[in-house]
């Protein structure tokens, strides 16, 4: 799987754990997707998987994802997940 | 030879499992031991209690319980009614393969607890098609579903959940509950908030797949309410995660309600006669026991000892044991 282009410090610290979760917990074959793959459109994550993904992101990055953010269903690809989390983390100096 | 985790029953070739230097899988390495487990249960019990108190009395019933007549959903109903005083509506889905004894158990337990019971029986022709197509042909469910349940069970659970969610939204009932055990739900929490509109949009793609596999009626069975994201949340209660009771203790708790252990539901179920068929198919398709992840979680949290868990996973049905169930859904034994 190709990693995100133009990676920032935030993307680097986010992308690794996210990919590992997708591989280990949601059992995705990372060789068959890229960072822009819509994981729901490809039916790689179901509703249970989505709840698990959100729980992982909240635990791993110590953030709270409010219900209204969940409702937007923006966490559809590796790139969008990384961007979503990166925007909520403090910048690395 | 494949190494097992030093604490639970998962092996290093189980999907997604890695063993560390101490021989622990990552799931066990992340779980506290001893008193910390009791603390975690206490936290989940407190979370369950406060959620119930917040939502109680806001609908015609407080909670719909997805009720199979099996031991776990019977115990769930008992906990909600007796420990938390929740006004429940028990909804039993008769999939055409529920044991007669389990149906009787459902009636007995709901009556003993003074709970209203609704039984819903989807068209047997559709259900047989759904089970047949779930058992043979390409996998229909997301990759991670394979470690939660067999494909036959995942299809059935999806249909039941859809029915219960629709009923909850239509009747304005704020909570739903099910007898989920640790390992069957996506996070270790006794309360899960679900945005119905968001889930409906996620479900849309699956409905296309199910319609192609099961026929056009699948859309009606699996559709979630057409509400906007953010418009309606539903609270899922998982009371089983708050209990430290073993399987034997659970059965001892529900027997006084008139519950009797069925004799025709195979090795891992107390309500469905198709369960063993699902195990046989799953072992052949994925090479893993569909109960392994759930049993590992029970062992990890001290609800089952490791030897008992290993024994359960070794005791698997053969194709010849399930030929009758396979024929009942239109699969010749040679096609399994």
């Amino acid at each position: 799987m190709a990693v995100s282009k133009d990676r920032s410090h935030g993307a680097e610290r986010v992308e690794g754990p996210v990919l590992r979760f997708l591989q280990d917990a949601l059992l995705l074959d990372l060789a068959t997707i890229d960072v822009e793959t819509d994981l729901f459109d490809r039916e790689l994550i179901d509703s249970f998987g989505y709840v698990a993904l959100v729980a992982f992101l909240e635990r791993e990055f110590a953030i709270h994802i409010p219900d209204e953010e969940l409702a937007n269903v923006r966490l559809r690809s590796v790139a969008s997940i990384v961007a979503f989390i990166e925007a909520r983390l403090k910048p690395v100096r | 030879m494949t190494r097992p985790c030093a604490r639970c029953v998962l092996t290093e070739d189980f999907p997604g499992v890695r063993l560390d230097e101490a021989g622990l899988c990552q799931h066990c390495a992340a779980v506290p031991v001893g008193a910390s487990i009791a603390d975690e249960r206490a936290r989940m019990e407190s979370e369950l209690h406060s959620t119930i108190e917040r939502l109680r009395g806001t609908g015609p019933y407080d909670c719909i319980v997805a009720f199979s007549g099996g031991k776990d959903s019977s115990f769930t109903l008992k906990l909600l009614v007796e420990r938390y005083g929740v006004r429940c509506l028990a909804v039993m889905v008769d999939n055409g393969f529920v044991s007669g004894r389990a149906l009787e158990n459902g009636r007995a337990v709901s009556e003993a607890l003074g709970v209203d019971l609704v039984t819903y029986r989807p068209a047997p022709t559709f259900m047989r098609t759904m089970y047949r197509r779930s058992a043979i042909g390409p996998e229909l469910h997301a990759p991670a579903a394979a470690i939660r349940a067999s494909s036959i069970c995942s299809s059935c659970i999806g249909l039941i959940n859809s029915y219960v969610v629709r009923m909850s939204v239509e009747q304005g009932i704020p909570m739903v509950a099910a007898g989920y055990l640790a390992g069957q739900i996506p996070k270790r929490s006794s309360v899960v908030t679900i945005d119905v509109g968001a889930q409906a949009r996620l479900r849309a793609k699956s409905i296309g797949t199910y319609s192609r596999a099961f026929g056009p009626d699948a859309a009606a069975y699996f559709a979630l309410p057409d509400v906007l994201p953010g418009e309606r949340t539903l609270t899922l209660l998982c009371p089983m995660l708050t209990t430290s009771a073993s399987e034997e203790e659970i059965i001892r708790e529900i027997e006084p309600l008139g519950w009797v252990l069925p004799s025709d539901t195979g090795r891992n179920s107390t309500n469905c006669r198709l369960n063993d068929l699902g195990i046989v198919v799953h072992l052949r398709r994925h090479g893993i026991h569909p109960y392994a992840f759930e049993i590992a979680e029970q062992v990890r949290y001290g609800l089952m000892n490791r030897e008992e868990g290993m024994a359960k996973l070794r005791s698997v049905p053969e194709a010849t044991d399930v030929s009758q169930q396979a024929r009942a859904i239109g699969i010749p034994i040679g096609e399994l």
Side-chain angles (χ1 to χ4, degrees):
Chain A
M1 175 186 185
V3 294
S4 303
K5 295 171 184 170
D6 304 324
R7 303 169 85 207
S8 65
H9 287 302
E12 286 175 9
R13 64 180 162 150
V14 172
E15 193 170 82
V18 168
L19 291 177
R20 180 158 235 183
F21 176 80
L22 294 178
Q23 186 171 36
D24 288 354
L26 300 186
L27 307 183
L28 269 55
D29 179 354
L30 299 183
T32 65
I33 62 171
D34 62 39
V35 292
E36 300 295 343
T37 300
D38 187 320
L39 303 173
F40 294 95
D41 203 42
R42 287 267 303 273
E43 297 181 78
L44 295 171
I45 302 181
D46 58 13
S47 54
F48 273 54
Y50 189 70
V51 174
L53 172 64
V54 170
F56 162 76
L57 295 174
E58 289 189 329
R59 185 177 64 247
E60 179 74 19
F61 300 107
I63 58 170
H64 173 62
I65 304 177
D67 290 346
E68 55 269 27
E69 295 280 7
L70 294 182
N72 290 327
V73 199
R74 286 196 283 176
L75 311 175
R76 298 189 71 101
S77 66
V78 172
S80 65
I81 292 167
V82 170
F84 180 89
I85 299 301
E86 193 182 1
R88 280 155 183 78
L89 296 177
K90 291 177 183 172
V92 176
R93 296 184 186 278
Chain B
M1 183 170 168
T2 305
R3 279 191 306 158
C5 170
R7 186 167 163 195
C8 72
V9 298
L10 298 180
T11 51
E12 62 185 341
D13 61 351
F14 192 85
V17 163
R18 287 173 282 105
L19 301 186
D20 64 16
E21 289 176 356
L24 290 176
C25 72
Q26 75 269 30
H27 305 290
C28 285
V31 164
V33 293
S36 298
I37 291 179
D39 290 346
E40 190 172 316
R41 282 203 189 97
R43 174 187 61 75
M44 287 196 278
E45 188 165 359
S46 169
E47 182 183 32
L48 187 71
H49 178 75
S50 61
T51 301
I52 289 170
E53 290 310 309
R54 180 168 53 84
L55 295 172
R56 183 196 300 281
T58 59
Y61 294 92
D62 297 327
C63 182
I64 294 179
V65 178
F67 183 54
S68 71
K71 66 175 171 48
D72 296 326
S73 63
S74 294
F75 190 56
T76 293
L77 190 62
K78 176 182 161 71
L79 285 174
L80 288 173
V81 171
E82 293 188 346
R83 183 178 297 176
Y84 296 98
V86 176
R87 179 165 161 70
C88 292
L89 172 65
V91 175
M92 193 168 194
V93 176
D94 177 3
N95 66 7
F97 295 92
V98 175
S99 160
R101 180 70 253 172
L103 291 171
E104 287 179 41
N105 285 339
R107 287 191 285 270
V109 168
S110 57
E111 183 175 338
L113 293 170
V115 168
D116 293 346
L117 171 68
V118 171
T119 302
Y120 168 59
R121 193 165 200 266
T125 47
F126 177 82
M127 297 303 280
R128 284 194 293 271
T129 301
M130 182 183 84
Y131 290 130
R132 183 169 61 252
R133 182 55 192 82
S134 299
I136 57 176
E139 179 60 76
L140 297 168
H141 302 286
I147 61 171
R148 289 198 306 263
S150 73
S151 184
I152 284 178
C153 286
S154 288
S155 297
C156 193
I157 291 165
L159 185 148
I160 293 168
N161 287 347
S162 303
Y163 182 73
V164 166
V165 170
R166 288 196 302 271
M167 181 182 265
S168 162
V169 171
E170 286 162 8
Q171 298 194 19
I173 299 169
M175 296 178 276
V176 298
Y180 287 128
L181 306 175
Q184 294 178 330
I185 59 165
K187 61 182 197 176
R188 287 204 59 80
S189 176
S190 58
V191 178
V192 179
T193 303
I194 297 163
D195 185 278
V196 177
Q199 289 287 345
R201 275 146 187 78
L202 298 176
R203 174 65 61 82
K205 186 74 181 179
S206 303
I207 287 177
T209 300
Y210 297 159
S211 295
R212 285 188 292 279
F214 309 149
D217 289 347
Y221 286 113
F222 287 92
L224 293 174
D226 186 21
V227 296
L228 293 171
E231 186 179 333
R232 174 73 156 84
T233 57
L234 189 60
T235 301
L236 171 65
L237 306 180
C238 306
M240 292 294 288
L241 271 69
T242 68
T243 180
S244 58
S246 66
E247 286 186 0
E248 292 73 22
E249 288 166 336
I250 287 170
I251 289 173
R252 277 201 296 277
E253 286 279 335
I254 57 178
E255 280 178 336
L257 303 174
W259 193 91
V260 177
L261 184 66
S263 59
D264 57 351
T265 53
R267 291 159 172 77
N268 293 83
S269 171
T270 51
N271 72 304
C272 184
R273 293 182 289 112
L274 279 187
N275 200 264
D276 272 0
L277 174 63
I279 294 171
V280 168
V281 169
H282 205 76
L283 282 164
R284 290 181 177 205
R285 182 185 275 162
H286 295 289
I288 57 172
H289 196 299
Y291 283 82
F293 198 72
E294 170 191 322
I295 287 173
E297 191 79 349
Q298 305 304 303
V299 171
R300 205 170 284 137
Y301 279 84
L303 301 174
M304 186 183 294
N305 72 50
R306 187 165 179 256
E307 289 66 36
E308 187 185 352
M310 294 273 200
K312 275 181 175 281
L313 295 178
R314 280 195 301 269
S315 172
V316 295
E318 300 291 334
T320 49
D321 297 332
V322 295
S323 57
Q324 195 178 347
Q325 294 99 311
R327 275 197 301 275
I329 59 172
I331 303 176
I333 188 69
E335 285 190 30
L336 274 182

